[in-house]
Each structure stands twice: as structure tokens, then as C-alpha cells.
Amino acid sequence: MFESLTRVPPDPILGVSAAFQKDPSTDKVDLGVGVYKDEAGKTPVPRAVRRAEQDLIAAQTTKAYLSPVGNPGFNTQVAALTFGVDLAGRKADLSLAQAPGGSGALHLGALFLAAARAGSIAYVSDPTWANHLPLLGAAGLKVERYPYYDAHTNGLAFDRMLGFLDALPADSVVVLHACCHNPTGQDLDVAQWQAVAEVLAKRRLLPFVDMAYQGLGEDLDRDAASIRLIAKAVPEMLVAVSCSKNFGVYRERTGLLAVVSANTEQASIHAGQLGRIARTVWSMPPDHGAAVVDRVLATPELRQEWVTELTHMANRINSLRSLLAEKLTTASGADFGWIKQQRGMFSRLPLRAEQVVTLREQHHIYMAPDGRINIAGISPANCTRVAESIATVMKAG
Ligand code: LMR
């Protein structure tokens, strides 16, 4: 019966990590999967998270079931972090469900959309996170693309993006990256978000915002400005939040889906639907990561410590951006200043897939096949070698 199944090609992102692990080279560099790395190249558990875990283990008296929508404290805390303390004025319209990571939140949101309207088309940015397409497709949505990035200028194709959205039929789903665009690092500014929000409202489009890197671009509030602004402009939207990166709880699978409904009556129906769908796929989300995040956010001292650590992470990434831009410009003679303007963990280098393979095979530098690099994988110690290797491969054509 299973003979019909075919071999699965390596995952474009996780496959890079697998290949990196197998490389015996001592000066290999991993710029693949999007995990934060510190000065020593390690992905630490933030101190505030470790302390919250210790408190939790000491205090927890039961591991009995919660509910299909998870931990209410976590849901409320993360909603406030996302929408702001005033919940963008939409408190009565919000339904929240804890989900297994940002991917679980996206999946739950896609199933919710498919249940509301079978055959919905979700438009994703061109390019987008490699897993958006299979993930949304597996939940029953049709996936198409809207213009986003101009590879000639290494910047935003904003006029084309806006024009495209302005011609979409009503009820089209538009998947947006709240901040730290994956894979390009190229974000919209506030005026551009305002223009997008107006088009979403005017064309009655359904925004589905993915926020996986809050606090790793500018700061917690500025990185969420897009969501807060859109929530004030449109009647309905979905937001999928990941805590993997900003809390360093990657393997704990900690995320939130927020549905903003047109009114309170609709919200109570939608809350029930989220619970129903979650019950059919994972019954209940895993507890630990959410319990830890809830504790960090609800304990002023831990929260302050976490904000300080997160600020350090963002500052480190942004200073590595400056360093890499400078080294690449020097090594190649071309202008890489655009890397400094981008935000979050990623930028996408103008490399062909074969050049990415050459960097891996001849220079032991690993990145996603589309040239996406994890800036946090760079360090002052390896930056010159990385930049010179990239410049060598680019010059060879
Ligand atoms: C990434 O884009 O590298 C991360 O979001 C990890 C993943 O699951 O792909």
C-alpha cells in the first residue's frame, strides 16, 4: 500500500542544517536555519526563560489537561505584546488559541480560513518563507504570490505590491510578514504599512499576518506597528505569532493564533471554531513553552530581564549587518549597503543556486538555496572570510 509514496527531497531550510552537521571541516559556517546565535556561535536559552523554567518546575503541581486553546494567561499576555496593551481597540473582537509554534498557528489559521470558505486563495509575498507554500497548501488553501522584492535593487517592489493588492478580488487572503521579512529582511516602513492597510480595507481583503521575529528588528513595539495599524483599519484579520526566536524556545513549540472578528458575536463563534479545529489536529497544544512565556511576561523582573536580552540580540544582529555590508563591499567592489537597511535575521544575497552549492562545497559556508543568510550566524571572527568567499564566488560568475 505504501509503495506509491515517493522519496522526499531535502527541506530547503532544515536540509541545510543536516548537511552542515555532516561536514567535518573545522572552519565551517552555518548561515542556514533561522536561529539566533550569540558571540560564541551558540543558541542560548535566555536567562529570563531559564529562571522562569526553574520557578515553574518548583511550583507546578499538576500536568492535567488545559483546553484545546491552551493556556489563557499565555494567550492574553502574548496578545497584549502583539496588539499593544489596548489590544488595538479590538479586545471584544479577539479570539485566541495557543498553538504548537508559529507553524502550528499558521496551520490552525489556514484550517480556520478553509473551514470558513473552501477554496480560498492565499497570496504570499514573492519571495516568502519556504514553508509557507506547503504549509498553507496542506491546510487546503490555494497559494499564489504578490510582488514584494526587487532583486535588481535589493529593495522593496512597493508600487508593484500595492498595485497588485489593489486589484485583488474581495475576500482574498493576503499573507504579510509583520517585521523582519523572511527571507529578504526587507520591511515596509510605517507610511507603507498605512497605505497597505488602506488597500486591505478598501478591497475587503483578509490579512493573515505572520509574526515570528518580534523584537529582533527594531524593538517590540515598532516591530508590531504593522499589526496594530492593520487591526485598526480592517474588520477581520488573522495573526500567527511565534515565540521560538524572541524567547529562544524553538523546540518547545510555542505560538499563538489571534483571530480578529467583525464583532463580538462573531468572535464568540470563532473562538469555538478555533477550539474545535485544534481538537481535531492536536487536541491540546504542548504546555511547557507557553507556561514559561506566560511567567516571563507576567513577572515584572523576568520581563525586564528578557527585554534587555532581546534588545542585546537585536543590537548584535544590526551591528553584524553593518560589519557584513562593509566587508562585502570591500571584498567585491559592489555596494552591499542595503544589508544595513534590512532588519531581522535574514538577508538574501544575489546568488544563483549553483553558487550557493560552490560556497558550501569549496568554502564550507552553508545557506539556503535561494541565497538567504542568517545574519546571526556571522561573527566578527568569521565575517572577513565569509565576505571574501562570497565575493570570490560572485566574481567567478
Ligand atoms: C527559518 O526560516 O529558518 C525558521 O523559521 C525555521 C524554519 O522552521 O524554517
Side-chain angles (χ1 to χ4, degrees):
M1 158 160 195
F2 301 138
E3 296 81 358
S4 61
L5 296 175
T6 54
R7 195 174 298 283
V8 177
D11 182 273
I13 294 171
L14 302 181
V16 179
S17 308
F20 178 81
Q21 297 301 336
K22 285 195 198 135
D23 185 342
S25 163
T26 50
D27 60 355
K28 59 186 179 176
V29 180
D30 183 9
L31 308 181
V33 69
V35 294
Y36 176 76
K37 292 182 189 170
D38 64 14
E39 293 75 0
K42 303 272 183 260
T43 301
V45 182
R47 278 186 308 281
V49 167
R50 291 174 90 93
R51 288 178 60 195
E53 286 187 304
Q54 283 154 7
D55 295 352
L56 200 68
I57 285 166
Q60 199 169 50
T61 54
T62 180
K63 287 189 184 284
Y65 292 126
L66 284 174
S67 89
V69 295
N71 177 335
F74 166 85
N75 292 350
T76 314
Q77 289 287 355
V78 175
L81 201 63
T82 304
F83 291 91
V85 279
D86 66 344
L87 298 172
R90 303 299 301 268
K91 184 172 186 211
D93 306 331
L94 268 185
S95 345
L96 307 172
Q98 183 197 322
S103 298
L106 286 166
H107 187 67
L108 182 60
L111 290 173
F112 176 83
L113 289 169
R117 186 176 295 234
S120 289
I121 304 183
Y123 292 84
V124 297
S125 62
D126 182 16
T128 195
W129 178 44
N131 205 28
H132 268 153
L133 287 93
L135 190 158
L136 299 171
L141 301 180
K142 292 193 193 124
V143 186
E144 296 191 8
R145 294 164 203 267
Y146 59 84
Y148 186 82
Y149 189 68
D150 184 340
H152 299 292
T153 61
N154 301 297
L156 209 57
F158 184 68
D159 291 346
R160 282 194 286 131
M161 172 187 178
L162 203 63
F164 187 95
L165 297 183
D166 205 0
L168 284 179
D171 294 329
S172 301
V173 177
V174 181
V175 178
L176 298 155
H177 300 233
C179 62
C180 307
H181 184 265
N182 182 359
T184 67
Q186 188 64 53
D187 288 338
L188 277 65
D189 64 27
V190 172
Q192 289 168 326
W193 276 120
Q194 190 62 55
V196 166
E198 280 163 21
V199 167
L200 292 169
K202 181 178 83 170
R203 305 293 306 184
R204 289 187 290 116
L205 307 175
L206 195 290
F208 188 176
V209 186
D210 185 356
M211 181 155 70
Y213 298 90
Q214 187 181 6
L216 287 159
E218 301 286 352
D219 61 39
L220 284 164
D221 286 327
R222 282 193 283 171
D223 289 352
S226 52
I227 291 176
R228 299 172 188 180
L229 199 140
I230 293 170
K232 290 187 175 126
V234 301
E236 296 173 318
M237 77 187 286
L238 268 61
V239 181
V241 179
S242 168
C243 298
S244 297
K245 283 90 181 177
N246 52 5
F247 286 88
V249 290
Y250 306 85
R251 66 176 71 159
E252 302 295 354
R253 312 313 300 139
T254 310
L256 177 82
L257 178 73
V259 175
V260 181
S261 305
N263 55 53
T264 310
E265 168 65 13
Q266 286 277 298
S268 83
I269 296 171
H270 299 161
Q273 286 288 341
L274 293 183
R276 176 192 68 78
I277 298 169
R279 180 77 169 132
T280 64
V281 282
W282 45 73
S283 185
M284 313 221 170
D287 178 63
H288 182 73
V292 168
V293 167
D294 179 22
R295 198 165 191 99
V296 170
L297 292 176
T299 313
E301 192 199 333
L302 294 182
R303 187 183 182 115
Q304 185 51 53
E305 185 169 27
W306 168 68
V307 171
T308 304
E309 290 178 273
L310 184 59
T311 306
H312 173 76
M313 292 193 235
N315 289 345
R316 184 178 128 73
I317 292 173
N318 289 332
S319 69
L320 287 169
R321 286 188 168 281
S322 300
L323 185 65
L324 181 65
E326 181 200 314
K327 298 276 182 196
L328 273 173
T329 302
T330 307
S332 68
D335 179 12
F336 278 87
W338 45 273
I339 291 181
K340 273 194 282 189
Q341 316 308 324
Q342 297 173 342
R343 282 294 171 266
M345 275 191 203
F346 309 115
S347 280
R348 204 180 67 166
L349 298 175
L351 294 168
R352 297 190 314 280
E354 314 85 79
Q355 293 174 310
V356 170
V357 172
T358 305
L359 277 162
R360 181 188 295 201
E361 290 178 350
Q362 295 181 12
H363 301 268
H364 307 282
I365 295 171
Y366 288 72
M367 64 186 70
D370 62 353
R372 186 193 83 168
I373 53 169
N374 174 11
I375 302 280
I378 291 168
S379 69
N382 68 25
C383 193
T384 305
R385 183 173 93 72
V386 167
E388 286 174 355
S389 303
I390 292 167
T392 303
V393 170
M394 287 178 88
K395 280 182 191 157

